[in-house]
Amino acid sequence: MFYYLNKSLPVQLVLIVLLLAWSVFTVVTQTTVCSAEGQTLFFGALADFWSKHPVNLKVSIISILLLESLLIARFYSVNRFAENHTYIPVVFFLLMMNAGGFLVKISPALFTLVFMTFMVMLTSQEENDRPLKNRIFTSGLLVAIASLIDPVAICSVLFLILALITNRFSKSKEILIMVFGLLFVYVYVFSVSFFTDSFSTLSDSLKNLSFFNLFKDFKSLTVFDYVFVVYTVTLVSYLIIQLKLFYDNKLIVLRKRLVTIHLLMFILIAMLLLSGLPLSSSLLYILLPITLYFSMLSQIKRRIIFHDILIVAFFVLLWL
């Protein structure tokens, strides 16, 4: 089913319109913001603003959803993971956003998802596409801004370093440039808080940050949660093996891009474990690599029915 859907642009566009309509309806009628307790001061301020201005909340979330859809489609197309033009990644992404209920309660993970997509795009470009130093510095800025909203986004630093090494153009000087990007944002924020006499408020916010929520609430997980986690781990392991075999005879640049996605998955799993968000919200971290994995899997001619069952089972468990 998904193999044939991958080859039909008209059907994909119809599905995207329907899924967008579903998404907008959910945002307009159900969207709220998760509790700011244990989160950063900046997310708390954003949540407070949205609670007072619900129209701005709805417009912002719809805009973020459209932006992320465009970024995923652009990333998949530019890196030529598929031989033919396709919008299948957008279909999978929107379907997961709705099936997982990620639009019902907005968490900091949504912002991390968008920032990580930007960072993946920057690190996966060819070295001569844009000045490398500019991309690395911008990536450092993005990590810092993301971590101000979601503290576990700081793990993105490790992903950036590994991604640069994988693409064979990382040097110690380039890592320093990325660090300067980080420090630029942090120094600015701390300077403003110091001169506006709000440094103590910022300090208290940092002390009250919550982490490792998954382990703290381990006993509160349901049977479906355990089944979903085990299934997802098994599925991801299978996808990594199958996609390696599929791309082994492709261009080297494609294989490097695939390795970058694998690295992204491992770093995002670390974020999920480190996060102070409940499992239902922290699953949003791994949405990007899962979307890309499913899109790549839909190109494989062998075991079409088996792969359809794997993907459908994932969506069913995510829905439950």
Side-chain angles (χ1 to χ4, degrees), residues 22 93-105 228 279-281 283-284 287 314-315 317-320:
W22 183 8
F93 170 70
L94 292 175
L95 188 56
M96 276 189 267
M97 287 295 291
N98 286 285
F102 299 117
L103 294 172
V104 175
K105 185 165 288 188
F228 179 80
L279 179 63
S280 58
S281 297
L283 287 174
L284 192 56
L287 226 62
F314 175 84
F315 283 113
L317 289 173
L318 186 63
W319 179 275
L320 297 175

Side-chain angles (χ1 to χ4, degrees), residues 289-305:
I290 291 290
T291 295
L292 297 173
Y293 282 156
F294 282 175
S295 302
M296 297 177 201
L297 188 68
S298 64
Q299 301 179 65
I300 301 177
K301 294 180 180 179
R302 297 169 54 247
R303 304 176 182 173
I304 296 177
I305 296 177

Side-chain angles (χ1 to χ4, degrees), residues 28 74 88 91 114 127 150 183 189-190 209 214 237 280 284-285 295 311 314:
V28 172
R74 176 68 176 169
I88 194 71
V91 174
V114 177
E127 190 169 356
D150 185 5
L183 293 178
V189 169
F190 282 111
L209 291 178
L214 184 63
S237 301
S280 58
L284 192 56
Y285 288 118
S295 302
I311 294 174
F314 175 84

Side-chain angles (χ1 to χ4, degrees), residues 230-244:
V230 172
Y231 179 79
T232 302
V233 171
T234 305
L235 176 62
V236 169
S237 301
Y238 174 81
L239 292 174
I240 290 175
I241 295 172
Q242 286 299 309
L243 293 176
K244 179 187 181 303

Side-chain angles (χ1 to χ4, degrees), residues 16-32 58-59 61-62 65-66 94 97-98 103-104 319:
I16 288 173
V17 170
L18 293 175
L19 289 169
L20 278 175
W22 183 8
S23 302
V24 171
F25 178 78
T26 301
V27 171
V28 172
T29 60
Q30 301 180 46
T31 294
T32 58
K58 301 177 193 306
V59 172
I61 300 308
I62 292 173
L65 185 68
L66 293 173
L94 292 175
M97 287 295 291
N98 286 285
L103 294 172
V104 175
W319 179 275

Side-chain angles (χ1 to χ4, degrees), residues 152-313:
V152 299
I154 196 64
C155 296
S156 307
V157 171
L158 180 57
F159 165 72
L160 288 175
I161 294 173
L162 294 176
L164 291 173
I165 293 174
T166 300
N167 289 280
R168 296 182 180 179
F169 47 74
S170 178
K171 300 176 183 178
S172 57
K173 182 174 68 174
E174 293 159 0
I175 295 177
L176 284 176
I177 292 174
M178 182 183 64
V179 172
F180 285 143
L182 283 166
L183 293 178
F184 179 83
V185 175
Y186 292 146
V187 170
Y188 178 81
V189 169
F190 282 111
S191 298
V192 170
S193 65
F194 179 78
F195 287 113
T196 56
D197 294 326
S198 58
F199 187 80
S200 59
T201 303
L202 179 61
S203 177
D204 292 339
S205 172
L206 294 175
K207 292 177 183 178
N208 295 326
L209 291 178
S210 176
F211 298 100
F212 299 107
N213 187 77
L214 184 63
F215 298 99
K216 294 177 182 177
D217 295 341
F218 191 74
K219 295 181 179 179
S220 64
L221 297 178
T222 65
V223 175
F224 284 118
D225 291 331
Y226 287 113
V227 172
F228 179 80
V229 169
V230 172
Y231 179 79
T232 302
V233 171
T234 305
L235 176 62
V236 169
S237 301
Y238 174 81
L239 292 174
I240 290 175
I241 295 172
Q242 286 299 309
L243 293 176
K244 179 187 181 303
L245 295 175
F246 179 68
Y247 282 97
D248 267 348
N249 61 345
K250 303 290 184 180
L251 296 174
I252 295 177
V253 66
L254 278 178
R255 298 203 295 270
K256 290 197 295 185
R257 297 292 184 263
L258 182 60
V259 171
T260 301
I261 301 304
H262 295 335
L263 292 173
L264 177 66
M265 171 59 86
F266 294 134
I267 297 301
L268 291 177
I269 289 175
M271 288 187 190
L272 187 153
L273 297 174
L274 181 63
S275 174
L277 300 172
L279 179 63
S280 58
S281 297
S282 58
L283 287 174
L284 192 56
Y285 288 118
I286 63 173
L287 226 62
L288 175 58
I290 291 290
T291 295
L292 297 173
Y293 282 156
F294 282 175
S295 302
M296 297 177 201
L297 188 68
S298 64
Q299 301 179 65
I300 301 177
K301 294 180 180 179
R302 297 169 54 247
R303 304 176 182 173
I304 296 177
I305 296 177
F306 178 64
H307 291 162
D308 286 347
I309 293 173
L310 290 178
I311 294 174
V312 171

